Amino acid sequence: MSAFTYVGKRLPPVDGEERASGRAQYVTDIKLPGMLHGKILRSPLPHARIASIDTSAAEALPGVKAVATWADTPGVSFGPIPAFEDWTILAKDKVRFVGEEVAAVAAVDEATALRALDLIEVEYEELPAVFDPVEAMKPGAPSINGRERNVVMPFSLERGDVDGALAGADLVLEEDYYTNQVYQAYMETMAGVVRPEKHGGFTMWLPIQIPNKSRLTYGKALGVRPEDIRIIKPFMGGAFGAKMEVDLHLVAAVLARKCGRPVRIVNTRHEDIVAGNPRVPMHIHLKMGFMRDGRFAAKEVRIVAANGGRTVYSPPIMATACYRVDTLYTFENVRAEGYAVDTNTVPTGAFRGFGNSQMTFPLETMIDQAAAQLGLDPVAIRRRNAVPTGYVSIHGWEVGSSGQEQTLDNVARISGLASRRRQAADTGPVRRGVGLAACNHVSGNKAFFPPFDGSSSIVRIAEDGKVIVFHGECDMGQGQTTAFSQIVAEALGARLEDVTVAEVDTQVSPYGLGSFATRGTTIGGMGVKKGADAAKELLLQAAAEHFGADILALDTEQSEVYLKADPSRRVSFGHLARGFIFTHGGLPMVAQGHYVPNTVAPDPKTKYGNVSPAYVFGAHVAEVEVDTETGEVRVTGYWASHDVGRAINPMQLEGQVQGGVAQGIGWALMEDMITREGRIANPTLLDYRVPGSKDVPRVTCDFVEPVDPNGPFGAKGIGEPALNPVPAAVANAIYDAIGIRFTELPITAEKVLAALRAREAAQRGRGGQGFV
Amino acid sequence: MLSGTEYVRPSTMDEASGLLANDEGAVVLAGGTDVLVAAFAGRMSVSTLVDVSSLPELKGVEDWGDCVWIGALTTMTKLCASDVVNRVLPGLGSAAAAMGCWQVRNRATIGGNLCNASPSAEMGPPLLVYEAAVDLDGVGGKRRLPISEFFKGPGETALAKGELVTGIRIPKPDAGLRVAYVRRALRRSMDIPLVNVAVGVQMGDGVGVDARVALGAVAPVPFRVPVAEEILVGRPLTDSVIQEAAEGACCPARPITDVRATAEYRLAMVEVLVRRALIQLAEESV
Ligand SMILES: Cc1cc2nc3c(=O)[nH]c(=O)nc-3n(C[C@H](O)[C@H](O)[C@H](O)COP(=O)(O)OP(=O)(O)OC[C@H]3O[C@@H](n4cnc5c(N)ncnc54)[C@H](O)[C@@H]3O)c2cc1C
């Protein structure tokens, strides 16, 4: 393909000015007539029976319009995943984590609602609690949701001959790793404004990633049909996976129903941290066999993951961690065993990477270790096992395009990896090192929503020639609106400024699956492209009549149709649309398009399938300086190469990569939800440290564009892979700098210093024989 | 959140101290970066916010010949930009520059930093090293206290009811006194220190003639460390002397363990920071 008008251009976000100037309306900006303010009373205990709740004093407080407890809810159990329905909107007779919703108040303002919360008397009988998933599986552990050994879901899979391959391997490595619980730290806390409607339904203004799927869950929870719930998603201040189904939305609905008025609930930052939807912590045991030439002989993994007190998405996240990396390299012998386990901690869910980021840390550090022990170059060992275009993985995943080798070569080149390595011989307290890590990911996940996969759009040409695109995906701030505008403008031949992408409103938008699994640009993008293609047909037909020419003789550009043979003869979209609309009694000039990917849900038993229409690859290099006196690790340089199929907008891609790297550096080095006896000890952004601008170096980006057969103009996704390899790249760089491998995140200064001192002590004690 | 809280902006000292003396819940508002954060978070109940920004007695940075006078309302940004501070009190300027971020430094005042009396207050160690005095004024009249007597505990000061800090008076140090300020935080900006250290050394004939070491964040209040100072006086600033002083500085430190760091780590950082500050001074004096 030759020149594009908009695809591949460094265009600023189409909604950037609106957002930067404060004109963009977020859920928290919405004020409805008669709107009340809701607040949630949350459990102060990690595990307890509720003996009694007395709300009378709260109800008597002037300004309070409704107080709700479990008795005010439909009382059904429900959940995001039909197989694990362990939610109630408000706790029935038991609480399972600190922060669980026990009661709620709607009042004329937040201060009154807060005062009313203090007046609700709850009597608890404390129960023994368990916080670590490994402990929770042991016999005699307290039962949280009545499941055997507290196991929500086990997972197992085996392909090839793992034992034989391990027996024949030249090198076998085995290690325990731990990836900790971290918070998404989006700017906008969870929120909702819910208005009761006359037929018993609701209109909900929500920051949400999956409005249509949520309607199914919410309909069941509220005892109404999903169609009776209208969800509108205005501008959104980030999500990173956290804003799928959110109980707060339902609490607002219960209050709204009870008092017959709109109710707004906005989490404080504290509530958002203690009762949000953080990353699934995982204990990961990894064993790998390697051949002398660098080939990966076999991989065996065992994962125990914390579900928290009720099930959000930890089962599929654990499963993803078990085997998504099997398509990062050409593995032939793999075995995985995993458990998602109830714990009396905050429920855990999706966070950029969906388990794949957790697993990338052990895998990519172990590969680094193997390369060092086998005397192989870290790029070479990965290239040796790289996935080529057209590859079908052992699990049936069809890789339609792969730029993996090129991402490895490119990141090595732009970082000057070869010349940067092994500077550990520096003198002075500061040691420098570099580390490489690779990653893969999907661009969609058929397993996430079994009823269907795909996307669609409605494209309307208004009488002035302006183009409005309706879709059911969700921009949570990542730039989907801009990407869709570019795709539609390119496909339709419209001017970019003539294209408006509508916000999602389930009353008018197509049934979209929403934002997850890095699917927006690829699957969502195909949906809007198909709509634009169909709209182009409509315009060409109208123009064919206008010119008395054959459709094939016409094409579009800059919101005009022209004769290919004589481009000076042109007619505007507006002229054609007016002609059409005014001769059809005002009939909208509307086209629809849809895309059904070739994905196959994994077989429940064998897990064989093909979850995504396209697969992505990436490779990162981090350079660090380790201060051996303070243990402080400073990331001083960062390079990232990603296979994106086709760059729709390099500037937005860079933004995603920079954000992913910053978030990954936070996870690698400082972010940690410190939990003591089920209570989060650092529930503020003062004590929960996300990196500041000075903690993140300039990130140099590179994009490889193999043009995928299944993406719009060949595009694949970027959101999650941008983060996946960061902790491993940083950990490998730390190893390069000081010769110590860390297996637990985060790698805090204190841990680094302790490890250095332990090594020193061991070297002194054992005549220079380090134990690390 | 702050509904029910009164806001007043007195234009005279008398009015201000009267308000503070007669209203149990009255609180001084300077830059507000501590007081408003605490009030909004519900950690502090405030009946009246007494905005002191109109009091001329609290403003200005002045060179009074034998000393430098810094008004309580002087912001960190102004301290960083002040000629006399950079020339005569560079250790104070570096501490001011290390605090928070641009936005915070634009609001945060030196008076607020002292009166908030956080164990890790940025201004604590450098003012101890410069042997500053605090000017107070209130219903009981004016008085002056050495900085070492001003801090009483976390969040506690020698301020009496109805009293304000008007300014900080810093005797001009001997031109030969070099001062370094170093800190260790979990991030490189916008973070309060785990440990902060100010060190001043004056050399004469190759040996230390004056040495001042002050630590913050490792005890209820920032404090001077005579043990370390004595090690430095009368001896050259060699690696071994530096190491001895750095280790000596740890003895009186009594840090706490919290979610940001363990006491052991903070203690280890005292040694590292004192050593690094001294190395910096040793290199400067060559
Ligand atoms: C994001 C952020 C980052 C920060 N980073 C740092 C940091 O790195 N290092 C650090 O040390 N601090 C830091 N702080 C804390 C704070 O900014 C400083 O302590 C600042 O100097 C306080 O000054 P202020 O003028 O804002 O005080 P205010 O909040 O106005 O007042 C603080 C206290 O002092 C009292 N007070 C103020 N002035 C007077 C006076 N003249 N007389 C009597 N009482 C008075 C007030 O009543 C109040 O109790 C940070 C704060 C924030 C919000």
Side-chain angles (χ1 to χ4, degrees):
Chain A
M1 244 173 284
S2 56
F4 290 120
T5 311
Y6 297 112
V7 163
K9 298 289 183 310
R10 301 181 64 87
L11 296 169
V14 293
D15 50 7
E17 197 238 311
E18 222 173 331
R19 283 193 275 160
S21 64
R23 274 191 298 114
Q25 292 267 309
Y26 294 81
V27 167
T28 41
D29 295 317
I30 292 167
K31 291 185 181 62
L32 300 179
M35 184 176 82
L36 299 172
H37 297 263
K39 274 283 158 201
I40 297 173
L41 183 70
R42 298 175 179 281
S43 168
L45 298 171
H47 201 191
R49 196 152 294 290
I50 299 174
S52 67
I53 305 184
D54 181 355
T55 58
S56 52
E59 277 160 44
L61 186 73
V64 170
K65 301 295 175 187
V67 182
T69 63
W70 179 81
D72 298 290
T73 71
V76 293
S77 290
F78 63 95
I81 306 175
F84 314 109
E85 295 185 318
D86 51 15
W87 295 34
T88 52
I89 299 175
L90 293 164
K92 186 182 178 192
D93 45 19
K94 182 171 133 155
V95 287
R96 299 160 292 181
F97 63 95
V98 171
E100 183 161 5
E101 304 81 357
V102 174
V105 173
V108 290
D109 53 37
E110 271 198 2
T112 307
L114 277 171
R115 236 172 296 135
L117 290 190
D118 285 340
L119 298 174
I120 299 175
E121 297 283 346
V122 186
E123 234 181 285
Y124 294 101
E125 287 160 15
E126 205 161 351
L127 296 168
V130 61
F131 311 110
D132 183 88
V134 173
E135 293 300 316
M137 279 177 80
K138 289 185 179 158
S143 173
I144 296 168
N145 285 309
R147 296 173 173 122
E148 208 192 323
R149 295 164 73 214
N150 286 314
V151 172
V152 185
M153 190 184 87
F155 179 91
S156 68
L157 158 155
E158 177 152 12
R159 271 205 180 82
D161 173 14
V162 175
D163 296 324
L166 284 172
D170 295 316
L171 171 71
V172 175
L173 296 175
E174 189 167 3
E175 199 74 59
D176 283 308
Y177 298 86
Y178 180 68
T179 60
N180 64 322
Q181 183 159 301
V182 283
Y183 169 61
Q184 291 88 348
Y186 31 72
M187 286 199 270
E188 179 189 30
T189 58
M190 295 195 186
V193 173
V194 177
R195 184 175 67 197
E197 301 297 354
K198 56 178 183 289
H199 49 273
F202 300 93
T203 301
M204 302 183 171
W205 287 262
L206 309 175
I208 193 161
Q209 296 175 233
I210 48 167
N212 280 297
K213 180 176 179 297
S214 297
R215 284 202 304 166
L216 302 179
T217 314
Y218 292 180
K220 177 161 187 187
L222 293 166
V224 298
R225 297 176 310 151
E227 305 86 85
D228 291 334
I229 298 173
R230 173 183 179 190
I231 294 181
I232 300 169
K233 184 211 73 77
F235 272 98
M236 196 161 157
F240 306 109
K243 295 174 183 169
M244 306 275 194
E245 291 87 350
V246 176
D247 191 57
L248 170 158
H249 302 157
L250 296 166
V251 176
V254 167
L255 289 170
R257 176 184 276 165
K258 190 161 181 187
C259 55
R261 286 166 66 169
V263 173
R264 166 195 200 261
I265 303 185
V266 179
N267 261 357
T268 61
R269 187 60 72 179
H270 180 278
E271 287 180 289
D272 216 76
I273 295 178
V274 302
N277 191 7
R279 190 182 285 284
V280 182
M282 293 186 190
H283 296 276
I284 303 176
H285 182 84
L286 177 64
K287 183 174 183 180
M288 278 179 80
F290 299 85
M291 304 312 289
R292 198 162 289 123
D293 65 0
R295 255 179 315 130
F296 303 159
K299 173 185 140 266
E300 185 178 62
V301 62
R302 183 173 189 274
I303 296 177
V304 181
N307 185 54
R310 67 176 172 229
T311 310
V312 192
Y313 286 108
S314 95
I317 291 168
M318 173 276 296
T320 299
C322 280
Y323 81 119
R324 188 173 286 175
V325 289
D326 295 356
T327 306
L328 171 52
Y329 299 109
T330 54
F331 286 106
E332 278 162 17
N333 307 297
V334 297
R335 181 187 289 142
E337 180 189 343
Y339 303 90
V341 185
D342 281 327
T343 46
N344 291 116
T345 54
V346 54
T348 58
F351 184 167
R352 211 171 189 175
F354 205 72
N356 202 33
S357 42
Q358 281 93 322
M359 188 59 212
T360 302
F361 170 62
L363 179 76
E364 286 295 312
T365 48
M366 187 169 276
I367 290 171
D368 204 63
Q369 191 177 344
Q373 292 194 18
L374 293 167
L376 295 170
D377 173 80
V379 174
I381 192 171
R382 291 175 170 88
R383 268 180 130 271
R384 186 80 188 72
N385 298 279
V387 164
T389 290
Y391 178 76
V392 180
S393 84
I394 35 167
H395 306 306
W397 298 15
E398 296 171 16
V399 180
S401 69
S402 168
Q404 188 183 15
E405 292 197 5
Q406 228 183 313
T407 62
L408 287 162
D409 292 345
N410 288 5
V411 83
R413 178 172 44 77
I414 62 175
S415 65
L417 183 64
S419 59
R420 277 179 202 274
R421 282 188 68 76
R422 290 274 160 228
Q423 301 182 18
D426 310 341
T427 54
V430 174
R431 296 297 149 86
R432 184 180 286 218
V434 285
L436 169 77
C439 74
N440 74 322
H441 213 72
V442 292
S443 298
N445 182 4
K446 167 75 179 166
F448 189 80
F449 187 68
F452 79 87
D453 198 1
S455 69
S456 63
S457 68
I458 301 168
V459 177
R460 192 174 117 192
I461 316 292
E463 69 286 356
D464 57 359
K466 299 276 196 256
V467 180
I468 306 168
V469 185
F470 299 89
H471 68 87
E473 310 305 321
C474 271
D475 193 334
M476 43 184 166
Q478 77 272 44
Q480 196 178 70
T481 303
T482 301
F484 284 2
S485 302
Q486 287 177 257
I487 290 168
V488 167
E490 190 72 54
L492 187 57
R495 283 188 300 253
L496 187 69
E497 57 271 31
D498 289 345
V499 177
T500 299
V501 176
E503 282 295 8
V504 176
D505 173 349
T506 57
Q507 196 167 71
V508 288
S509 306
Y511 199 120
L513 293 184
S515 274
F516 58 87
T518 303
R519 67 190 292 284
T521 301
T522 311
I523 299 184
M526 281 302 275
V528 296
K529 180 170 182 300
K530 295 287 186 175
D533 289 344
K536 182 171 172 179
E537 280 300 309
L538 280 186
L539 286 162
L540 291 182
Q541 270 164 22
E545 273 177 41
H546 173 86
F547 286 120
D550 191 88
I551 274 194
L552 295 177
L554 303 168
D555 207 348
T556 55
E557 70 179 12
Q558 294 296 302
S559 299
E560 288 175 334
V561 183
Y562 65 96
L563 276 167
K564 286 193 249 185
D566 179 3
S568 68
R569 294 188 58 201
R570 316 172 76 86
V571 57
S572 71
F573 286 5
H575 188 89
L576 293 170
R578 256 187 318 278
F580 178 91
I581 293 165
F582 293 177
T583 54
H584 288 77
L587 183 70
M589 191 172 198
V590 175
Q592 314 186 70
H594 72 281
Y595 168 64
V596 181
N598 60 342
T599 49
V600 181
D603 180 89
K605 270 218 169 62
T606 66
K607 319 296 189 270
Y608 198 85
N610 180 30
V611 298
S612 170
Y615 298 93
V616 302
F617 300 90
H620 288 193
V621 167
E623 180 193 63
V624 302
E625 283 179 6
V626 182
D627 185 328
T628 55
E629 292 179 354
T630 64
E632 193 181 0
V633 177
R634 194 174 156 204
V635 184
T636 50
Y638 210 96
W639 299 266
S641 178
H642 282 272
D643 165 6
V644 296
R646 157 102 62 202
I648 300 288
N649 185 331
M651 190 156 84
Q652 295 220 109
L653 283 169
E654 285 163 12
Q656 283 293 302
V657 174
Q658 286 157 0
V661 170
Q663 213 160 28
I665 288 174
W667 190 19
L669 298 177
M670 61 182 88
E671 291 186 40
D672 193 18
M673 297 175 74
I674 301 167
T675 306
R676 298 201 175 126
E677 296 298 302
R679 283 179 188 78
I680 292 162
N682 54 342
T684 65
L685 291 179
L686 176 64
D687 290 325
Y688 181 89
R689 272 341 209 168
V690 298
S693 56
K694 285 190 180 170
D695 303 298
V696 181
R698 181 180 298 277
V699 179
T700 307
C701 298
D702 170 76
F703 299 108
V704 174
E705 303 181 62
V707 183
D708 195 273
N710 292 334
F713 303 99
K716 304 192 277 189
I718 188 68
E720 292 170 283
L723 179 146
N724 288 347
V726 182
V730 171
N732 291 342
I734 294 172
Y735 175 79
D736 191 45
I738 58 171
I740 297 175
R741 290 230 174 257
F742 289 89
T743 55
E744 255 185 43
L745 296 177
I747 309 169
T748 60
E750 235 177 304
K751 285 188 200 163
V752 173
L753 191 63
L756 284 163
R757 292 199 164 173
R759 181 173 65 182
E760 241 172 67
Q763 279 169 349
R764 256 185 270 122
R766 298 188 203 167
Q769 293 262 300
F771 71 94
V772 191
Chain B
M1 272 178 250
L2 287 188
S3 59
T5 298
E6 296 267 333
Y7 168 86
V8 285
R9 197 159 98 187
S11 48
T12 66
M13 272 300 298
D14 283 352
E15 200 188 330
S17 50
L19 280 161
L20 291 165
N22 299 324
D23 180 347
E24 201 51 49
V27 171
V28 173
L29 172 70
T33 59
D34 279 316
V35 80
L36 292 180
V37 174
F40 279 120
R43 285 196 308 270
M44 186 186 220
S45 72
V46 182
S47 62
T48 309
L49 279 171
V50 182
D51 180 348
V52 293
S53 63
S54 296
L55 303 181
E57 293 89 338
L58 274 56
K59 293 183 186 174
V61 178
E62 288 165 29
D63 187 342
W64 285 357
D66 59 338
C67 74
V68 179
W69 186 84
I70 298 171
L73 285 174
T74 308
T75 62
M76 296 302 123
T77 302
K78 281 200 193 120
L79 277 181
C80 295
S82 155
D83 265 354
V84 59
V85 168
N86 288 324
R87 215 163 5 89
V88 186
L89 310 166
L92 191 65
S94 3
M99 187 195 282
C101 58
W102 285 106
Q103 291 91 330
V104 169
R105 291 193 292 273
N106 285 340
R107 304 271 329 152
T109 65
I110 189 168
N113 193 249
L114 294 187
C115 296
N116 189 59
S118 161
S120 64
E122 215 74 54
M123 298 287 104
L127 289 178
L128 281 161
V129 158
Y130 285 120
E131 301 186 333
V134 185
D135 284 338
L136 307 169
D137 193 358
V139 282
K142 291 190 189 353
R143 59 183 182 132
R144 185 172 307 155
L145 278 180
I147 182 83
S148 56
E149 288 170 28
F150 182 75
F151 298 115
K152 294 292 179 200
E156 285 169 36
T157 64
L159 275 172
K161 190 81 203 139
E163 209 171 29
L164 284 165
V165 170
T166 52
I168 324 294
R169 191 181 288 253
I170 305 172
K172 276 195 189 163
D174 195 289
L177 183 82
R178 293 172 200 283
V179 177
Y181 177 77
V182 286
R183 76 206 291 269
R184 169 89 180 99
L186 294 178
R187 343 188 262 200
R188 304 184 69 80
S189 62
M190 269 293 262
D191 209 357
I192 44 181
L194 296 176
V195 177
N196 53 347
V197 169
V199 173
V201 174
Q202 184 170 359
M203 302 297 285
D205 293 333
V207 298
V209 293
D210 185 5
R212 309 170 184 185
V213 177
L215 306 182
V218 289
V221 296
F223 62 100
R224 287 272 294 267
V225 197
V227 209
E229 296 171 353
E230 283 156 21
I231 293 168
L232 295 164
V233 173
R235 299 168 73 187
L237 214 46
T238 59
D239 288 354
S240 63
V241 171
I242 287 175
Q243 185 57 28
E244 210 183 307
E247 283 169 22
C250 297
C251 304
R254 296 283 175 274
I256 56 159
T257 290
D258 63 12
V259 290
R260 324 181 111 242
T262 59
E264 299 76 54
Y265 185 75
R266 285 191 165 92
L267 206 52
M269 290 309 101
V270 170
E271 184 191 322
V272 174
L273 293 190
V274 171
R275 181 170 63 236
R276 287 186 177 179
L278 286 169
I279 289 174
Q280 194 180 316
L281 295 181
E283 282 167 358
E284 274 174 25
S285 41
V286 214

